[in-house]
Amino acid sequence: MTFATRCRHACRVLAGLVALALATGPAGAQELTLGEALQRADAAAYANRIADGQARVAAGQADLALRGILPAVRLEGSYTGTTDPLNAFGFTLRQRQVTEAAFDPARLNDPASIDNVGAGAVAEVPLFNGDAWLGRRAGRLAADAAHAQRDWTRMGTRTDVVRAYFGSLLALEQVATLDTALRSADAHVAQAQSLVRNGLATRSDALLAEVRRGEVAVRLAEARSAARIARWRLALVLGSPGDTALALPVALPPADRVRALAAAGDGAAGLRADVLAARLGSRAAAADERRTLALWLPRVNGFGRLDWNSPSALFGGKRAWTAGVMVQWSPFAGASELAERRAAAGRRAVAETRREAAEAQAALEAASASSRVQVALERLDIAERSVAQAAEAHRIVGRKYEGGLAGVTELLDALAAETAARLGFSAARYELIEALAVDRQARGADVAALAALDE
């Protein structure tokens, strides 16, 4: 190997180490664990924040029906100046200032200007509003459905965090694998050039080695770019797209640890939040349909008020009270009740169909996810054996090449096979981790259990 070649090789190694250090985050920074990433996403992920806001909206809408259930109290105040005969005499009477002179026809017909400061305290007490009570029930069920949907969104976000977090680790591990492959390719190039100089190989061997080395260099550049994109994707899932300087582990968890997590299983599986949301939505639609029946019922409401009237002072003068009960019944209101009932029946049919579809979809996804875990386990076993076999084959071909029993093409093919096997082993571990996350979500179990891989 010439001095220039050694310098180029050293520079490439140094550049690779610098790029890897930049990809893994600031030096000395504490590595972000999966558990910490899940906690950050629970609080800050965009999808979670949107779902939480929608749940609060549904809860607020459910409380609107309280207007027909709970009493209402309000205070009133007014000032009026008038020379209108009827109002002028009325204000005089309300202020308890009527005298015999007030009945003078001339004064009644042409009163002087009178000021009145009025104040009142009004209480409205709903006694029976059937549609409000049933509407309140429907609204609370709809709010519960929105909260269940929020929980399902959070579970989906956790699965996305698992994908993005371990996707970043996969990308970093692939960078390291290809960087090692590039160093091996450099060594093969140098070896081929040495053999050419010694007359033990043809110039085509050295040229072919350079070509294959260039292919590895291109794949390494692509892997480094993919690692940067994976880091941005993780930051976006966590709800902090500007935080791309995350310190991460440089490799995926060992295969044995992932297998142990798969073998441990998860007995905490239960009803999926999306299925619960669909069931609650169906019950809310049924309750809303019953509400429309109450539109034909009478409404009974009580009221009471206190009034003060004074020429100049708020809450001045003698207090007067009024109380009563009002019954309202509209047996026919232009067929609006019929239209609302038909619309509610249609919404109930839609909600019931959504419930059935959610239950069927959940069963299919659970079965599919379980099968995917088994396939991923088998793929991991095969990939792990392939790494050992490819490494041994590369070693054997290298010895043969040194003895002149193999050509450079065979040597570079062996290097490519080992590199592909190591990349496949990384991908197989990632696929099993992702399959475990999807399986837990599909069965209604907590995806956060994968934080055990941090240990």
Coordinates of all heavy atoms in Angstrom, one line a residue, residues 257-314:
R257 N -32.0 -10.5 23.4 CA -32.9 -9.6 24.2 C -34.3 -9.5 23.5 O -35.3 -9.5 24.2 CB -32.3 -8.3 24.5 CG -33.1 -7.4 25.5 CD -32.5 -6.0 25.6 NE -31.1 -6.1 25.9 CZ -30.3 -5.0 25.9 NH1 -30.8 -3.8 25.6 NH2 -29.0 -5.1 26.3
V258 N -34.3 -9.3 22.2 CA -35.5 -9.2 21.5 C -36.3 -10.5 21.5 O -37.5 -10.5 21.7 CB -35.3 -8.8 20.0 CG1 -36.6 -8.5 19.3 CG2 -34.4 -7.5 20.0
R259 N -35.6 -11.6 21.4 CA -36.3 -12.9 21.5 C -36.9 -13.1 22.9 O -38.0 -13.6 23.0 CB -35.3 -14.0 21.2 CG -34.9 -14.2 19.7 CD -34.2 -15.5 19.5 NE -33.6 -15.6 18.2 CZ -32.4 -15.3 17.9 NH1 -31.6 -14.9 18.9 NH2 -31.9 -15.5 16.7
A260 N -36.2 -12.7 23.9 CA -36.7 -12.9 25.3 C -38.0 -12.1 25.5 O -38.9 -12.5 26.1 CB -35.6 -12.4 26.3
L261 N -38.0 -10.9 24.9 CA -39.2 -10.1 25.0 C -40.4 -10.7 24.3 O -41.5 -10.7 24.8 CB -39.0 -8.7 24.4 CG -40.2 -7.7 24.5 CD1 -40.6 -7.4 26.0 CD2 -39.8 -6.4 23.8
A262 N -40.1 -11.3 23.1 CA -41.1 -12.0 22.4 C -41.6 -13.2 23.1 O -42.8 -13.5 23.2 CB -40.6 -12.4 21.0
A263 N -40.7 -13.9 23.8 CA -41.1 -15.2 24.5 C -41.9 -14.8 25.8 O -42.7 -15.6 26.2 CB -39.8 -16.0 24.9
A264 N -41.6 -13.6 26.4 CA -42.3 -13.3 27.6 C -43.8 -13.1 27.4 O -44.6 -13.3 28.3 CB -41.6 -12.0 28.2
G265 N -44.1 -12.6 26.2 CA -45.6 -12.4 25.9 C -46.1 -11.2 26.7 O -45.3 -10.5 27.3
D266 N -47.4 -11.0 26.7 CA -48.0 -9.9 27.4 C -49.4 -10.4 27.8 O -50.3 -10.5 27.0 CB -48.0 -8.7 26.5 CG -48.4 -7.4 27.3 OD1 -48.9 -7.6 28.5 OD2 -48.2 -6.3 26.8
G267 N -49.6 -10.6 29.1 CA -50.9 -11.0 29.6 C -51.9 -9.9 29.8 O -53.0 -10.1 30.3
A268 N -51.5 -8.6 29.5 CA -52.3 -7.5 29.8 C -53.2 -7.1 28.7 O -53.8 -6.0 28.6 CB -51.4 -6.3 30.2
A269 N -53.3 -8.0 27.7 CA -54.2 -7.7 26.5 C -55.6 -7.5 27.0 O -56.1 -8.1 27.9 CB -54.1 -8.7 25.5
G270 N -56.3 -6.6 26.3 CA -57.7 -6.4 26.7 C -58.5 -5.8 25.5 O -58.1 -5.9 24.3
L271 N -59.6 -5.1 25.8 CA -60.4 -4.5 24.8 C -59.7 -3.3 24.2 O -59.2 -2.5 24.9 CB -61.7 -4.0 25.4 CG -62.7 -3.4 24.4 CD1 -63.2 -4.4 23.4 CD2 -63.9 -2.8 25.2
R272 N -59.6 -3.3 22.9 CA -58.9 -2.2 22.2 C -59.7 -1.0 22.3 O -60.9 -0.9 22.3 CB -58.7 -2.6 20.7 CG -57.7 -3.6 20.4 CD -57.5 -4.0 19.0 NE -57.9 -3.1 18.0 CZ -57.5 -3.1 16.7 NH1 -56.6 -4.0 16.4 NH2 -57.9 -2.3 15.8
A273 N -58.9 0.1 22.4 CA -59.6 1.4 22.7 C -60.4 1.9 21.5 O -61.5 2.5 21.6 CB -58.5 2.5 23.0
D274 N -60.0 1.5 20.2 CA -60.8 1.9 19.1 C -62.2 1.1 19.0 O -63.2 1.6 18.6 CB -60.1 1.7 17.8 CG -59.7 0.2 17.5 OD1 -59.5 -0.5 18.5 OD2 -59.6 -0.2 16.3
V275 N -62.1 -0.2 19.5 CA -63.4 -1.0 19.6 C -64.3 -0.4 20.6 O -65.5 -0.2 20.5 CB -63.0 -2.4 19.8 CG1 -64.3 -3.2 20.0 CG2 -62.2 -3.0 18.7
L276 N -63.7 0.0 21.8 CA -64.4 0.6 22.8 C -65.1 1.9 22.4 O -66.2 2.2 22.7 CB -63.5 0.9 24.1 CG -64.2 1.6 25.2 CD1 -65.4 0.8 25.8 CD2 -63.2 1.9 26.3
A277 N -64.3 2.7 21.6 CA -64.8 4.0 21.1 C -66.0 3.7 20.2 O -67.0 4.4 20.2 CB -63.7 4.7 20.4
A278 N -65.9 2.7 19.3 CA -67.0 2.4 18.4 C -68.2 1.9 19.1 O -69.4 2.3 18.8 CB -66.5 1.3 17.4
R279 N -68.1 1.1 20.2 CA -69.2 0.6 21.0 C -69.9 1.8 21.7 O -71.1 1.9 21.7 CB -68.7 -0.4 22.0 CG -68.3 -1.7 21.3 CD -67.9 -2.7 22.4 NE -67.5 -4.0 21.8 CZ -67.0 -5.0 22.4 NH1 -66.8 -5.0 23.8 NH2 -66.7 -6.2 21.8
L280 N -69.1 2.7 22.3 CA -69.6 3.8 23.0 C -70.3 4.8 22.0 O -71.4 5.4 22.3 CB -68.5 4.6 23.7 CG -68.0 3.9 24.9 CD1 -66.7 4.6 25.4 CD2 -69.0 3.8 26.0
G281 N -69.7 4.9 20.8 CA -70.4 5.7 19.7 C -71.7 5.1 19.3 O -72.7 5.9 19.1
S282 N -71.8 3.8 19.3 CA -73.1 3.2 19.0 C -74.1 3.4 20.0 O -75.3 3.8 19.8 CB -72.9 1.7 18.8 OG -74.1 1.0 18.5
R283 N -73.7 3.3 21.3 CA -74.6 3.6 22.4 C -75.1 5.1 22.4 O -76.2 5.4 22.8 CB -74.0 3.2 23.7 CG -73.8 1.7 23.9 CD -72.9 1.4 25.1 NE -73.6 1.9 26.3 CZ -73.0 2.0 27.5 NH1 -71.7 1.6 27.7 NH2 -73.6 2.5 28.6
A284 N -74.1 6.0 22.1 CA -74.5 7.4 22.1 C -75.5 7.7 21.0 O -76.4 8.5 21.2 CB -73.2 8.2 21.8
A285 N -75.3 7.0 19.8 CA -76.3 7.3 18.8 C -77.7 6.7 19.1 O -78.7 7.3 18.8 CB -75.8 6.6 17.5
A286 N -77.7 5.6 19.8 CA -79.0 5.0 20.3 C -79.7 6.0 21.3 O -80.9 6.2 21.3 CB -78.8 3.6 20.9
A287 N -78.9 6.5 22.2 CA -79.4 7.5 23.2 C -79.9 8.7 22.5 O -80.9 9.3 22.9 CB -78.3 7.8 24.2
D288 N -79.2 9.2 21.5 CA -79.7 10.4 20.8 C -81.0 10.1 20.0 O -81.8 11.0 19.9 CB -78.6 10.8 19.8 CG -78.9 12.1 19.1 OD1 -79.1 13.1 19.8 OD2 -79.1 12.1 17.9
E289 N -81.1 8.9 19.5 CA -82.4 8.6 18.9 C -83.5 8.6 19.9 O -84.7 9.1 19.6 CB -82.3 7.2 18.2 CG -83.6 6.8 17.4 CD -83.4 5.5 16.7 OE1 -82.5 4.7 17.1 OE2 -84.2 5.2 15.8
R290 N -83.3 8.1 21.1 CA -84.3 8.2 22.2 C -84.6 9.6 22.5 O -85.8 9.9 22.9 CB -83.9 7.4 23.4 CG -83.9 5.9 23.2 CD -83.7 5.1 24.5 NE -82.4 5.4 25.1 CZ -81.3 4.7 24.8 NH1 -81.4 3.7 24.0 NH2 -80.2 4.9 25.5
R291 N -83.6 10.5 22.5 CA -83.9 11.9 22.8 C -84.9 12.5 21.8 O -85.7 13.3 22.3 CB -82.5 12.6 22.6 CG -82.7 14.2 22.8 CD -81.4 14.9 22.4 NE -81.2 14.7 20.9 CZ -81.7 15.4 20.0 NH1 -82.6 16.3 20.3 NH2 -81.4 15.1 18.7
T292 N -84.9 12.1 20.6 CA -85.8 12.7 19.6 C -87.3 12.3 20.0 O -88.2 13.0 19.6 CB -85.5 12.2 18.2 OG1 -85.6 10.8 18.1 CG2 -84.1 12.6 17.8
L293 N -87.5 11.2 20.7 CA -88.9 10.8 21.1 C -89.4 11.8 22.1 O -90.6 12.1 22.2 CB -88.9 9.4 21.7 CG -88.6 8.3 20.7 CD1 -88.5 6.9 21.5 CD2 -89.7 8.2 19.7
A294 N -88.5 12.3 22.9 CA -88.9 13.3 24.0 C -89.3 14.6 23.4 O -89.8 15.5 24.2 CB -87.8 13.4 25.0
L295 N -89.0 14.9 22.1 CA -89.4 16.2 21.6 C -90.9 16.4 21.6 O -91.4 17.5 21.5 CB -88.9 16.3 20.1 CG -87.3 16.3 20.0 CD1 -86.9 16.3 18.5 CD2 -86.7 17.5 20.7
W296 N -91.7 15.3 21.6 CA -93.1 15.4 21.7 C -93.7 15.5 23.1 O -94.9 15.7 23.3 CB -93.8 14.1 21.0 CG -93.8 14.1 19.5 CD1 -94.7 14.8 18.7 CD2 -92.9 13.5 18.7 NE1 -94.4 14.6 17.4 CE2 -93.3 13.8 17.3 CE3 -91.8 12.6 18.8 CZ2 -92.6 13.3 16.2 CZ3 -91.1 12.1 17.7 CH2 -91.5 12.5 16.4
L297 N -92.8 15.5 24.1 CA -93.3 15.6 25.5 C -93.4 17.1 25.9 O -92.6 17.9 25.4 CB -92.3 14.9 26.4 CG -92.2 13.3 26.2 CD1 -91.2 12.8 27.2 CD2 -93.6 12.6 26.4
P298 N -94.3 17.4 26.8 CA -94.4 18.7 27.3 C -93.1 19.1 28.1 O -92.4 18.3 28.6 CB -95.6 18.7 28.2 CG -96.3 17.5 27.9 CD -95.3 16.5 27.4
R299 N -92.8 20.4 28.1 CA -91.7 20.9 28.9 C -92.3 21.7 30.1 O -93.2 22.5 29.9 CB -90.8 21.8 28.1 CG -90.0 21.1 27.0 CD -89.2 22.1 26.2 NE -88.3 21.4 25.2 CZ -88.7 21.1 24.0 NH1 -89.9 21.5 23.6 NH2 -87.9 20.5 23.2
V300 N -91.8 21.5 31.2 CA -92.3 22.2 32.4 C -91.1 22.9 33.1 O -90.1 22.2 33.4 CB -92.9 21.2 33.5 CG1 -93.5 21.9 34.7 CG2 -94.0 20.3 32.8
N301 N -91.2 24.2 33.3 CA -90.2 25.0 33.8 C -90.7 26.0 34.8 O -91.8 26.6 34.6 CB -89.4 25.7 32.8 CG -88.7 24.8 31.8 OD1 -87.7 24.2 32.1 ND2 -89.3 24.6 30.6
G302 N -90.0 26.2 35.9 CA -90.4 27.2 36.9 C -89.6 28.4 36.8 O -88.5 28.4 36.3
F303 N -90.0 29.5 37.4 CA -89.3 30.7 37.3 C -89.7 31.6 38.5 O -90.7 31.4 39.1 CB -89.5 31.5 36.0 CG -91.0 32.0 35.9 CD1 -91.3 33.3 36.4 CD2 -91.9 31.3 35.3 CE1 -92.6 33.8 36.3 CE2 -93.2 31.7 35.2 CZ -93.6 33.0 35.7
G304 N -88.8 32.4 38.9 CA -89.0 33.4 40.0 C -88.1 34.6 39.8 O -87.0 34.5 39.3
R305 N -88.6 35.7 40.3 CA -87.8 36.9 40.1 C -88.1 37.9 41.2 O -89.2 38.0 41.8 CB -87.9 37.6 38.7 CG -89.3 38.1 38.4 CD -89.4 38.7 37.0 NE -88.5 39.8 36.9 CZ -87.7 40.1 35.9 NH1 -87.7 39.2 34.8 NH2 -86.9 41.1 35.8
L306 N -87.1 38.7 41.5 CA -87.2 39.8 42.4 C -86.9 41.1 41.7 O -85.9 41.1 40.9 CB -86.2 39.7 43.6 CG -86.4 38.5 44.5 CD1 -85.3 38.4 45.5 CD2 -87.7 38.5 45.2
D307 N -87.7 42.2 41.9 CA -87.5 43.4 41.1 C -87.4 44.6 42.1 O -88.1 44.6 43.1 CB -88.7 43.6 40.2 CG -88.6 42.6 39.0 OD1 -87.8 42.8 38.1 OD2 -89.5 41.7 39.0
W308 N -86.6 45.5 41.8 CA -86.4 46.8 42.5 C -86.6 47.9 41.5 O -86.0 47.9 40.4 CB -85.1 46.9 43.2 CG -84.9 46.0 44.3 CD1 -85.0 46.2 45.6 CD2 -84.4 44.6 44.2 NE1 -84.7 45.1 46.4 CE2 -84.3 44.1 45.5 CE3 -84.0 43.8 43.1 CZ2 -83.9 42.8 45.8 CZ3 -83.6 42.5 43.4 CH2 -83.5 42.0 44.7
N309 N -87.4 49.0 41.8 CA -87.5 50.1 41.0 C -87.4 51.4 41.8 O -88.0 51.5 42.9 CB -88.9 50.1 40.3 CG -89.0 49.1 39.2 OD1 -88.6 49.3 38.0 ND2 -89.5 47.9 39.6
S310 N -86.5 52.3 41.4 CA -86.2 53.5 42.1 C -85.9 54.6 41.2 O -85.5 54.4 40.0 CB -85.0 53.3 43.0 OG -84.5 54.5 43.6
P311 N -86.2 55.9 41.6 CA -85.9 57.0 40.7 C -84.4 57.2 40.4 O -84.0 57.7 39.4 CB -86.5 58.2 41.4 CG -87.5 57.6 42.4 CD -86.9 56.3 42.8
S312 N -83.5 56.7 41.4 CA -82.1 57.0 41.2 C -81.1 56.0 41.6 O -80.0 56.0 41.3 CB -81.8 58.3 42.0 OG -82.1 58.2 43.4
A313 N -81.6 55.0 42.4 CA -80.6 54.0 43.0 C -80.8 52.6 42.5 O -82.0 52.2 42.4 CB -80.7 54.1 44.5
L314 N -79.7 51.9 42.2 CA -79.8 50.5 41.8 C -80.1 49.7 43.0 O -79.5 49.9 44.1 CB -78.5 50.1 41.2 CG -78.5 48.7 40.4 CD1 -79.4 48.8 39.2 CD2 -77.0 48.4 40.0

